[in-house]
Amino acid sequence: EDKVVQSPLSLVVHEGDTVTLNCSYEVTNFRSLLWYKQEKKAPTFLFMLTSSGIEKKSGRLSSILDKKELFSILNITATQTGDSAVYLCAVWSGGSNYKLTFGKGTLLTVNP
Amino acid sequence: DGGITQSPKYLFRKEGQNVTLSCEQNLNHDAMYWYRQDPGQGLRLIYYSQIVNDFQKGDIAEGYSVSREKKESFPLTVTSAQKNPTAFYLCASNRGSGVYEQYFGPGTRLTVT
């Protein structure tokens, strides 16, 4: 059975802190890994990572994938209260029938 | 504006009643999905469809049914056989049947009492 495990499950920080969210996976026939941000409604797409070692960056957010060790990290620098959300990691896997498996998410709370 | 719409936003039903959740997309995507999200849980796949008139069960299909008569529409029926139907339901779509970014609708919060 495919598994995606995120840690920590929740995290409370102060504005300006840097945080690192973790995602490890065990899937059959890995294809790519996705990060989403969810603020009480629809998840919004952040990154898709397919190749190992190549960092994807968008403003204060960045992410990298390690296919050898089967994990990814999402970094957020200089956090703001607007970064408070659940961050979801998901992995595409499979042969002819692709499947997207989600982790349980990390609840990030950024206090002023 | 292209996107996915789900209606209604909130839905209340009595136990024993079937209820249908709507999902429509105008992104011209081939593949559509239904997920269920419970507090503190990730998204769990209920059903998915990669082409019109075809769909497959996901990990938690029991007590649910779907249809895919049009490319734009993928309604989900929560039947009385679903033991714990109260949850947040998300519809998603992506182009093709490969590895793509999935786009999500705003969700429907269903409460059954």
Side-chain angles (χ1 to χ4, degrees), chain A residues 21 35 62 71-72 82 88 101 103:
Chain A
L21 310 183
W35 284 98
S62 63
F71 78 92
S72 172
L88 295 165
T101 302

Side-chain angles (χ1 to χ4, degrees), chain B residues 84-108:
Chain B
N84 296 298
T86 294
F88 186 52
Y89 290 87
L90 283 161
C91 179
S93 72
N94 54 252
R95 58 188 175 96
S97 59
V99 175
Y100 299 106
E101 170 193 344
Q102 270 194 0
Y103 294 84
F104 285 85
T108 292

